[in-house]
Amino acid sequence: MEFAHSSRFEPSWSSLAAASDFWPLGAHVTLSQAVVSQLRARIVSGVLAPGTLLPETALAQQLKVSATPIREAMATLASEGLVEIEAHRLKRVAPLDMIVTRDLLRVQAELWRLGYQWGMPRICPEQVSLLDEAITRYRAALASGEHMAAIFAGLDFHTVFIMASDNRELLRSTLDRRGLIARFIFLHGIQMVSSIGLSQHEAILAAFKADDHAGVLACLDRMSARLLTLCDRNEQSATFIREV
């Protein structure tokens, strides 16, 4: 799926009405949190394409809120790397640079591996149930062709292990980058959301249930390598297009 880059605000979001479902808001959220969820979903899905300008007035009118929650949401999304705030407070959806993305994926691969190492000894039966449930959601999303739901089911699966590490800094450094990873996969690596991707998650869970922690890490390393290879291919393609 391809999305054209745009330098203007796109006012029509009806094509992704349920996008915010991938970040459940719960019963008690602030207005700015609700706005963050709405905008994040549309950035990750490409409805708001990389490079799109984000004028606060237009956003506030579209979402029927004041400028304050928009500004607060922009600050949050900027901290997640999804929005850039430039000179004169100009805001835009962060471009998707493959070299920067590769650096992100390399760092996240190491952090996720650390999260798995620290988290596996602390996984409880309730968390094993969450792992099973994430795989069930992944399988159902594949069957129905809901690629974004499958991506977040996979991310939720990895997050269970990282959460079990109970390391706040590790959690902050990984959870804040989930949106960037999801955007890259959805816009440039949708082929990873497949039966092969599902089988890799299933292999991790099978190895963990067999108390084969080395096997878990080996599976995780293969998944990380696959993502990095995909990023390299996209960078090579972009370089070829620029040179032509």
Side-chain angles (χ1 to χ4, degrees), residues 49-101:
T52 300
L53 293 179
L54 300 170
E56 291 180 358
T57 300
L59 287 169
Q61 291 174 349
Q62 180 72 41
L63 296 178
K64 297 180 173 58
V65 297
S66 68
T68 298
I70 295 293
R71 282 194 293 269
E72 292 172 348
M74 289 297 169
T76 297
L77 294 171
S79 72
E80 296 177 9
L82 291 170
V83 166
E84 287 187 347
I85 302 177
E86 301 178 338
H88 309 298
R89 310 305 291 173
L90 180 69
K91 301 172 182 66
R92 65 171 179 165
V93 177
L96 216 169
D97 183 305
M98 289 303 158
I99 295 176
V100 174
T101 300

Side-chain angles (χ1 to χ4, degrees), residues 1 4 66 69 85 100 106 112 134 145 158 165 171 182 193 206 210 215 235:
M1 185 177 296
S66 68
I85 302 177
V100 174
R106 289 182 63 190
W112 284 19
H158 298 300
S165 72
L171 288 171
V193 187
E235 171 59 21

Side-chain angles (χ1 to χ4, degrees), residues 135 139 157 195 197-208 219:
I135 285 181
R139 187 180 298 112
F157 179 89
S195 58
L198 174 62
S199 67
Q200 291 175 327
H201 287 79
E202 291 173 333
I204 287 177
L205 185 56
F208 175 73
C219 289

